[in-house]
Amino acid sequence: MSVFLPARPRRRTRIPQPGSPNFWVYGLLTAFVLGSIFPFYWSFLVASRDSSMLTEQVPPLVPGGNFFANAARVFDTVPFWKALGNSVIVAGSVTISTVLFSSLAGFAFAKLRFKGRNALFLFVVATLAVPTQLGIIPLYMAMAELGWANELQAVIVPNLVTAIGVFWMRQYTVSAVPYELIEAARVDGCSMIRVFWHVCLPAVRPAAAFLAMFTFMTSWNDFLWPLVALGPDNPTVQVALEKLQSGYYVDYSLVLAGTTLATVPVLIVFFLLGRQIVAGIMQGAVKG
């Protein structure tokens, strides 16, 4: 008599999906995030206490209760409100103009055919090799000749458009805006400026958002040219922060309180534009 034994169930082995993140990926990302956040937390930690904490063998890792007092001292020491307003005006104006003009120039270099296009674009890229410091003296002489010394125009007008912005938008427009869309819009009767506004600009919005964030941070953190072009009574944020540490004794709680306050607008701009940047990354991943 034969006995039939049931077959043993096969053990299912889980096959890892290709490209799925593992423990090391999450660990590296967590370490990167913590390493990026720590300088901001340390600045806030010192700003919320007095400078004596820096001399302790084991510095405290919990914020104190002196942040608002140190922040009030910042506004009493330097014209910080005026510096914040000047930086917002300068960085905002430069960001809007750079994104607009760079998008226009990038669209022209990428999709329009005109004589000398490649030579002109090569000249724009070649200007990136010229150090900014070489043009400070002639630029200041030009601003003084126009009567703009110690005025915000002297900081805004020379930075209305940048070569790196034109290069960035041109490279993105080449792949993001196909010729078929432009030709279809032209057949429908759109002028070239309407093609740019209704076809090109929505397509390059992620790149424009990244350029806006990069330009705002660069303009906000600019120190050398505002120091030269503006007087001590009309500073930007970075010039005002420099005055906080210009004495014989540096109060690091005071300096880092001002630094923490100056970082807040940059974080706000990052959170406002972060969604567009992530959308651009996801769009590129889907296309790839």
Side-chain angles (χ1 to χ4, degrees):
M1 182 177 178
S2 59
V3 179
F4 294 95
L5 297 176
R8 290 186 179 180
R10 293 185 178 180
R11 222 174 143 185
R12 295 181 180 179
T13 58
R14 186 177 179 183
I15 301 176
Q17 296 295 329
S20 59
N22 53 22
F23 171 77
W24 295 107
V25 174
Y26 285 117
L28 289 175
L29 290 176
T30 303
F32 179 77
V33 170
L34 293 178
S36 301
I37 294 177
F38 181 76
F40 298 103
Y41 180 74
W42 181 257
S43 298
F44 178 74
L45 185 66
V46 178
S48 63
R49 295 178 175 270
D50 52 35
S51 298
S52 61
M53 66 160 287
L54 298 175
T55 61
E56 299 180 8
Q57 293 183 353
V58 181
L61 298 179
V62 179
N66 297 335
F67 178 77
F68 292 103
N70 292 330
R73 288 198 299 134
V74 171
F75 290 102
D76 294 336
T77 306
V78 295
F80 205 74
W81 280 120
K82 188 173 185 179
L84 281 175
N86 289 342
S87 290
V88 169
I89 293 173
V90 171
S93 303
V94 170
T95 300
I96 293 173
S97 64
T98 298
V99 171
L100 178 61
F101 293 142
S102 297
S103 301
L104 283 168
F107 174 68
F109 282 126
K111 297 302 176 180
L112 301 185
R113 297 181 178 90
F114 54 91
K115 189 175 181 180
R117 180 183 67 170
N118 295 332
L120 185 58
F121 180 69
L122 183 61
F123 173 77
V124 172
V125 175
T127 59
L128 295 173
V130 180
T132 307
Q133 292 80 2
L134 292 180
I136 286 183
I137 294 177
L139 185 59
Y140 181 80
M141 294 174 62
M143 295 298 106
E145 193 71 22
L146 292 173
W148 290 355
N150 198 25
E151 299 291 338
L152 293 182
Q153 301 95 303
V155 183
I156 295 174
V157 173
N159 299 311
L160 288 179
V161 65
T162 59
I164 187 64
V166 175
F167 175 78
W168 168 256
M169 296 306 298
R170 187 262 181 191
Q171 297 301 107
Y172 192 88
T173 305
V174 168
S175 59
V177 184
Y179 280 104
E180 290 78 8
L181 286 179
I182 299 176
E183 293 173 356
R186 294 290 289 171
V187 169
D188 290 339
C190 288
S191 62
M192 193 55 66
I193 191 66
R194 289 188 63 189
V195 171
F196 166 77
W197 189 259
H198 295 289
V199 176
C200 177
L201 202 56
V204 301
R205 186 172 55 183
F210 178 81
L211 178 62
M213 187 186 70
F214 177 78
T215 305
F216 187 89
M217 292 179 59
T218 302
S219 181
W220 186 270
N221 295 327
D222 191 13
F223 171 73
L224 181 60
W225 177 239
L227 179 66
V228 175
L230 301 178
D233 56 337
N234 194 28
T236 58
V237 164
Q238 305 305 323
V239 178
L241 291 178
E242 189 273 337
K243 294 184 181 299
L244 290 177
Q245 51 184 342
S246 59
Y248 180 76
Y249 169 75
V250 179
D251 189 349
Y252 289 102
S253 297
L254 182 67
V255 174
L256 291 179
T259 304
T260 303
L261 294 174
T263 308
V264 173
V266 179
L267 296 178
I268 293 174
V269 171
F270 176 79
F271 284 120
L272 291 177
L273 299 177
R275 181 180 301 178
Q276 298 296 330
I277 297 173
V278 173
I281 296 174
M282 296 303 296
Q283 182 181 0
V286 171
K287 286 183 179 180

